[in-house]
Amino acid sequence: MRFRKIAAFAMAATMMLSTAVSTQAAAVGANEDPANTEKTDETITIALASEPTTLAPSLSGTAANEAQIVSSTLMDTLVRQDKVTNEITPGLATAWEWVDDTHCKFTLRDDAKCYNGDTLTAEDVAWCINDVWVALNATNDTGMFVAGAVADDEHTVTIEFNLASPALLGMLSWTNFHVFSQADVEAAGGMEQATKTPFIGTGRYRFVEWKTTEYIKVERNEDYWDPDYAGYFKEIVFKFIGEPASREANVESGDVDVAADMPVIQASAFAESDAVKTVLYNYGQNGHLWYNMTEGHPTADINVRKAIDLALDFDNIAIVGTAGTAQAATGYIDFGSYYHNDTYTPEERAVDIDKAKELLAEAGYEDGLTLNTTYLAETETVHAVIKECLRQIGIDLVLNPTDVPTFVQTANSGDYDIMIIGEWMTDRIPSAFPFIRWDNIHGFHMGGPQTTTDELDGLVHQFIEEKDDETALGILQQIEQIMKDDCMVSNLYPEVKGAILNPDLKGFTTLERGYVCPYNFYK
């Protein structure tokens, strides 16, 4: 018995599809408006989904979403990357030159002022790289791929990387690669205190106040070095409102101007409202359903994994997961990427309940089995669809909704049978395929099969380091074919982010990984 729809969800999916066209027409996208050119004395208030635990992520050895968003106002990176063209443009560095595959020499601008008023120097940058990026971040992206730095003279610094990759410069544009001086950190009270009162950096805004559980306030830096940046709002206030419906309601009431990180289904519900502006945008990440392949989990059996894959109604999962704005994924990487492969045909994505049951019986589960998964509230409806899909073949999926810290802990510990975790891969970044690399699996990692092979690990490193894009694409096809043959993962859909704005606001732009950029808004 082969079919494309599960009856229990067909009606709901059809209704969602019928509204998808109007939703997309009424909503706006990201990175579409021209840049602001004016300054005012107004204040913008942005509602975040949670309170950050630090305001200087690299000093804390972390890279949490909300911390990246807030700290992006306070600190700068050596280079920037255009979110539309992917072009690398100057930041704190005005020029750069590759000495060899793993050494790059950066020329610094001479007009970037630190918080204390001193001009940022190569010695400052070298200290930040050696004593912060590398020393404090060995287990995350900030320190894993950087070996160190040397100040060649007052305005030139050479960075050494511990691998070669065409995407290294793009990586340096991420917010966790912020640069600041040792003198600023010491004046702020040392590394630990600077994570709480970050009077540091050369950024567009200056830190003012963090009132725990209530808000963070920053104020425009009137001496900012970039003449092309105006900064419409004098102050930015970040509030912490966990419930998405409350974030939206605060925008409608006028207490908040931006509700960030809205689940796409909830955001799309307001697409036709005149009271707010809805933003829906793809950001280069596919959602993946990973199978724990380690001993003791039923999903260690390939027949169980294949049975689950055959039971999933990928079309309806995509409809629910993207509010009808995107189709089911046909490969590991997002449709918009140069590296996208159509690894699966539509026929291979078809539901086959009878075959799925046969495979479960072969695995010794003719009478069914129980699996568990842990997830965040924003994917509740997707998990409800998956639970129903698996019920059709006798699998009882126990759903465990949780908060972000518990989710991260569970994903790292492997205390799950299946788990949805996406991967953001817009380029051949050094952190690509963290789920199937030995160095990640032996250290901190989130989700995935919890194991890999030497062959896969080697292919991933080849993919990252290969200079020729076409050759790299061929390597990627090998990786995806192995993952497909072993049924390590089921690719679900392109993830879509949502936000709700004051209808008068313009300038919705994004940082890496689709984070909302807080400093480009204007009216």
Side-chain angles (χ1 to χ4, degrees):
M1 176 174 58
R2 298 180 68 84
F3 55 93
R4 297 294 294 171
K5 306 295 175 204
I6 290 178
F9 291 94
M11 183 175 296
T14 301
M15 291 175 63
M16 190 169 286
L17 272 176
S18 68
T19 61
V21 174
S22 60
T23 294
Q24 288 177 284
V28 299
N31 306 304
E32 295 179 347
D33 293 329
N36 166 61
T37 58
E38 298 179 41
K39 286 186 178 183
T40 70
D41 288 334
E42 296 183 42
T43 298
I44 184 172
T45 302
I46 300 174
L48 302 177
S50 64
E51 184 170 10
T53 57
T54 176
L55 297 187
S58 61
L59 284 174
S60 301
T62 62
N65 299 11
E66 286 74 19
Q68 304 294 85
I69 292 169
V70 178
S71 67
S72 73
T73 66
L74 305 174
M75 294 165 254
D76 285 314
T77 52
L78 290 171
V79 296
R80 297 170 176 175
Q81 186 168 29
D82 188 284
K83 294 301 177 291
V84 177
T85 66
N86 287 327
E87 179 187 5
I88 304 297
T89 59
L92 291 173
T94 58
W96 46 90
E97 176 186 3
W98 284 99
V99 179
D100 56 37
D101 287 347
T102 58
H103 293 78
C104 191
K105 187 184 296 287
F106 293 84
T107 301
L108 303 180
R109 59 187 324 110
D110 59 8
D111 56 355
K113 300 296 183 182
C114 300
Y115 195 93
N116 64 4
D118 292 345
T119 300
L120 185 76
T121 68
E123 287 288 351
D124 294 325
V125 176
W127 171 84
C128 189
I129 293 172
N130 294 324
D131 288 36
V132 180
W133 295 7
V134 176
L136 304 181
N137 296 271
T139 60
N140 63 52
D141 290 352
T142 312
M144 285 179 68
F145 311 111
V146 180
V150 174
D152 303 308
D153 56 44
E154 187 177 3
H155 297 294
T156 310
V157 62
T158 297
I159 300 179
E160 179 184 359
F161 300 92
N162 54 27
L163 83 171
S165 170
L168 284 169
L169 283 179
M171 181 186 75
L172 291 184
S173 72
W174 302 349
T175 48
N176 45 306
F177 290 93
H178 282 143
V179 171
F180 41 84
S181 71
Q182 181 178 8
D184 269 356
V185 171
E186 291 176 349
M191 289 187 178
E192 183 177 353
Q193 185 60 38
T195 68
K196 304 169 186 175
T197 54
F199 297 107
I200 61 176
T202 61
R204 299 165 178 82
Y205 284 76
R206 298 298 202 193
F207 174 75
V208 175
E209 181 183 17
W210 183 357
K211 192 165 185 179
T212 306
T213 74
E214 293 187 31
Y215 64 82
I216 294 166
K217 182 187 293 185
V218 300
E219 187 174 67
R220 188 173 57 218
N221 178 6
E222 302 297 351
D223 295 320
Y224 189 54
W225 54 264
D226 187 350
D228 294 328
Y229 179 77
Y232 185 89
F233 292 99
K234 183 176 182 178
E235 290 185 338
I236 303 175
V237 175
F238 299 94
K239 289 187 175 181
F240 324 121
I241 304 176
E243 178 58 43
S246 297
R247 291 203 294 280
E248 188 282 329
N250 272 263
V251 176
E252 282 206 57
S253 69
D255 293 330
V256 161
D257 298 293
V258 178
D261 282 332
M262 290 289 294
V264 62
I265 289 181
Q266 289 178 263
S268 63
F270 298 96
E272 309 232 14
S273 170
D274 293 331
V276 297
K277 179 186 291 186
T278 298
V279 182
L280 299 175
Y281 59 101
N282 178 287
Y283 60 102
Q285 175 165 305
N286 274 353
H288 304 114
L289 180 67
W290 288 99
Y291 302 104
N292 191 328
M293 294 169 55
T294 57
E295 186 178 351
H297 294 268
T299 44
D301 190 316
I302 190 171
N303 284 333
V304 174
R305 301 196 298 272
K306 287 184 175 180
I308 294 172
D309 192 75
L310 285 170
L312 296 177
D313 187 336
F314 291 98
D315 285 347
N316 278 330
I317 291 170
I319 290 169
V320 173
T322 71
T325 61
Q327 66 187 60
T330 59
Y332 187 83
I333 297 178
D334 181 78
F335 289 107
S337 171
Y338 169 82
Y339 298 103
H340 169 75
N341 288 311
D342 285 319
T343 311
Y344 291 87
T345 65
E347 291 73 25
E348 289 175 314
R349 297 290 75 188
V351 175
D352 192 338
I353 296 298
D354 288 344
K355 179 62 176 176
K357 287 182 176 180
E358 287 177 17
L359 289 169
L360 283 184
E362 289 179 28
Y365 298 106
E366 186 173 3
D367 296 327
L369 73 155
T370 299
L371 301 176
N372 78 82
T373 187
T374 297
Y375 62 94
L376 300 174
E378 61 197 57
T379 57
E380 178 111 31
T381 52
V382 169
H383 281 85
V385 176
I386 292 174
K387 181 179 177 71
E388 175 62 18
C389 290
L390 299 191
R391 187 189 66 79
Q392 306 284 318
I393 60 171
I395 294 178
D396 177 23
L397 181 63
V398 178
L399 304 180
N400 301 301
T402 190
D403 56 19
V404 172
T406 305
F407 179 83
V408 172
Q409 180 182 359
T410 302
N412 183 47
S413 68
D415 188 18
Y416 60 87
D417 295 311
I418 63 175
M419 177 175 272
I420 295 179
I421 296 185
E423 179 171 2
W424 176 72
M425 196 192 303
T426 56
D427 203 347
R428 290 189 284 129
I429 56 179
S431 58
F433 288 106
F435 310 103
I436 54 173
R437 292 166 63 167
W438 283 124
D439 50 1
N440 290 79
I441 290 171
H442 291 152
F444 176 82
H445 64 288
M446 284 184 58
Q450 297 287 319
T451 189
T452 188
T453 65
D454 291 341
E455 180 185 17
L456 270 176
D457 184 73
L459 286 169
V460 168
H461 284 279
Q462 289 178 41
F463 170 68
I464 292 168
E465 298 186 23
E466 174 57 49
K467 293 181 179 180
D468 180 70
D469 283 338
E470 257 188 74
T471 303
L473 189 57
I475 297 169
L476 177 61
Q477 289 167 349
Q478 294 180 61
I479 295 171
E480 292 200 59
Q481 189 61 49
I482 292 172
M483 295 170 71
K484 177 181 178 180
D485 292 343
D486 288 346
C487 201
M488 301 176 75
V489 61
S490 292
N491 306 313
L492 299 180
Y493 52 81
E495 294 186 7
V496 178
K497 283 183 177 285
I500 300 293
L501 315 183
N502 176 318
D504 295 331
L505 274 186
K506 297 180 180 179
F508 187 97
T509 57
T510 58
L511 305 169
E512 76 278 2
R513 292 182 171 87
Y515 302 147
V516 58
C517 179
Y519 49 75
N520 284 334
F521 288 107
Y522 64 95
K523 292 181 180 178

